[in-house]
Amino acid sequence: MIKKQIRNKIQMNAYQEVSGSVMSVYSGDFGNLEVKGNIQFAIDYVDSLKELHVFVAQCKDLAAADIKKQRSDPYVKTYLLPDKGKMGKKKTLVVKKTLNPVYNEILRYKVEKQILKTQKLNVSVWHRDTFKRNSFLGEVELDLETWDWENKQNKQLKWYPLKRKTAPVALEAENRGEMKLALQYVPEPIPGKKLPTTGEVHIWVKECLDLPLLRGNHLNSFVKCTILPDTSRKSRQKTRAVGKTTNPVFNHTMVYDGFRPEDLTEACVELTVWDHYKLTNQFLGGLRIGFGTGKSYGTEVDWMDSTSEEVALWEKMVNSPNTWIEATLPLRMLLIAKISK
């Protein structure tokens, strides 16, 4: 339980750093901007760390998203395809008002070298506007199956011409399974008092259906729950792991207290499903259940991005106190926040 942390701005600073993002490389706006220019980067595999390092240096002569002022707000993101390994999108900072951004950032992937031989590295450039919409500016794709990691020249910075999107498949549209769950808001009655009431949100994770298999026929799944914007460890609860099935039954109820009625418009329930294998957890899909307003306590946040189905469930819960509201929702790709202390 988080005990009144909801109304204490719930550690919003924890969301200033994002780690392990898993949104699809194909999400965004295609075709509206010209693809032109070049990107300079280098890749290297550090055996001692078992990490792939992508050093993103700079871009030049990018297309202008703002035609009048001839400038863009570009950033670079990388993705290992297909979705096997760590399933993480990595990205640089946004450099504003330029067609020739300099980044000098290293994007790191914790991945076995042998796995890299089955993957491709996708490096794409995007414009991010004031409303946090992304517009595609071009991409480069390297096939790592035949990459010579011992060749020193392959570790040097190189210029690559940006190309148009060639893959029409949207990874984000892949079936990631569903979650059957129920929510309930329980206001706390305080007869005879004029103080603001606080209540509880109950989250009953019943089961998941048709989860994707990432490693053969093996699956050992569990569900994590966080009430955003609190990313502290004490806010995070999880179910037990259920193995050997793509349709795990959890029947686990999580309770969070400290909710005032007004907090219900600012907070969001993030449920994520993971496959536990040895010492690592791989993301399978998730939900964000809230009002999806894009803001929390007056601040714009990426995670207030609930779908219409997720918003509908939250609205029904808020409008029907002391009643379990049940739904089966499709799991989707999410931007995952770094856990704060």
Side-chain angles (χ1 to χ4, degrees):
M1 296 187 206
I2 51 177
K3 295 196 175 183
K4 300 183 181 178
Q5 290 178 11
I6 293 292
R7 64 175 180 268
N8 291 334
K9 291 190 179 179
I10 323 184
Q11 301 184 17
M12 278 195 167
N13 293 337
Y15 245 88
Q16 291 177 354
E17 183 174 0
V18 175
S19 173
S21 164
V22 287
M23 289 181 68
S24 168
V25 70
Y26 295 114
S27 60
D29 179 21
F30 293 93
N32 289 341
L33 295 177
E34 179 186 6
V35 172
K36 56 178 290 192
N38 300 272
I39 182 171
Q40 186 187 45
F41 67 92
I43 65 173
D44 187 22
Y45 188 81
V46 183
D47 289 286
S48 59
L49 300 175
K50 293 186 176 180
E51 288 183 352
L52 170 67
H53 287 188
V54 183
F55 179 66
V56 180
Q58 58 184 319
C59 299
K60 66 179 180 181
D61 302 327
L62 295 176
D66 187 333
I67 304 297
K68 186 176 180 181
K69 296 183 179 179
Q70 280 296 297
R71 66 190 190 190
S72 294
D73 296 340
Y75 71 95
V76 176
K77 66 180 175 182
T78 60
Y79 210 95
L80 285 177
L81 303 175
D83 271 358
K84 293 181 179 175
K86 191 64 178 175
M87 288 182 56
K89 176 191 73 179
K90 310 293 182 181
K91 64 179 181 178
T92 68
L93 296 174
V94 177
V95 180
K96 295 190 174 183
K97 302 178 182 179
T98 181
L99 303 181
N100 301 286
V102 176
Y103 300 101
N104 289 330
E105 293 187 45
I106 297 177
L107 307 179
R108 296 174 169 86
Y109 288 90
K110 201 81 174 179
V111 58
E112 295 287 344
K113 199 171 190 177
Q114 195 64 27
I115 293 178
L116 283 178
K117 294 181 180 180
T118 68
Q119 296 181 317
K120 294 181 180 180
L121 174 68
N122 182 282
V123 181
S124 54
V125 185
W126 300 76
H127 161 73
R128 188 172 178 86
D129 70 14
T130 307
F131 301 101
K132 297 188 177 179
R133 292 187 297 251
N134 300 317
S135 298
F136 179 72
L137 296 178
E139 71 172 10
V140 175
E141 201 159 275
L142 298 182
D143 190 343
L144 302 181
E145 181 181 2
T146 57
W147 192 264
D148 185 356
W149 299 101
E150 305 304 320
N151 187 337
K152 291 184 179 180
Q153 288 187 344
N154 279 345
K155 300 179 182 182
Q156 304 299 315
L157 283 170
K158 292 182 182 178
W159 284 102
Y160 297 87
L162 291 168
K163 299 180 180 180
R164 295 181 179 276
K165 173 61 63 185
T166 55
V169 179
L171 289 180
E172 61 195 312
E174 280 187 356
N175 177 36
R176 312 206 70 78
E178 297 176 311
M179 182 184 296
K180 187 176 181 180
L181 73 162
L183 299 184
Q184 179 180 212
Y185 176 56
V186 182
E188 182 180 331
I190 47 171
K193 294 185 180 180
K194 295 183 179 180
L195 296 174
T197 61
T198 63
E200 297 177 341
V201 171
H202 296 194
I203 303 148
W204 180 6
V205 179
K206 295 187 175 184
E207 60 183 314
C208 289
L209 307 167
D210 299 323
L211 292 178
L213 288 168
L214 298 184
R215 46 187 179 91
N217 295 320
H218 303 287
L219 193 65
N220 189 34
S221 59
F222 66 97
V223 177
K224 289 182 186 178
C225 181
T226 302
I227 305 295
L228 300 174
D230 187 356
T231 56
S232 66
R233 292 186 182 278
K234 65 178 66 176
S235 160
R236 182 151 292 185
Q237 299 185 41
K238 64 181 181 179
T239 70
R240 73 191 190 285
V242 177
K244 300 180 180 179
T245 178
T246 57
N247 299 283
V249 176
F250 298 105
N251 270 331
H252 184 104
T253 302
M254 306 172 189
V255 177
Y256 290 86
D257 66 2
F259 276 88
R260 299 175 302 173
E262 56 264 39
D263 292 321
L264 294 172
T265 65
E266 311 294 344
C268 173
V269 174
E270 180 181 86
L271 291 163
T272 51
V273 186
W274 302 80
D275 175 28
H276 179 70
Y277 179 61
K278 294 184 178 179
L279 299 177
T280 62
N281 296 323
Q282 291 196 2
F283 178 81
L284 298 177
L287 306 171
R288 286 218 185 92
I289 306 168
F291 281 122
T293 59
K295 290 185 178 181
S296 175
Y297 297 100
T299 300
E300 287 190 3
V301 290
D302 290 336
W303 47 264
M304 264 294 194
D305 63 348
S306 299
T307 66
S308 57
E309 292 174 287
E310 293 164 351
V311 171
L313 174 58
W314 190 251
E315 286 180 340
K316 288 179 183 177
M317 180 204 75
V318 171
N319 295 329
S320 307
N322 298 310
T323 304
W324 283 107
I325 306 299
E326 184 177 307
T328 300
L329 300 177
L331 297 169
R332 59 187 177 97
M333 303 296 270
L334 296 179
L335 189 73
I336 305 297
K338 182 178 180 180
I339 302 173
S340 63
K341 294 181 180 179

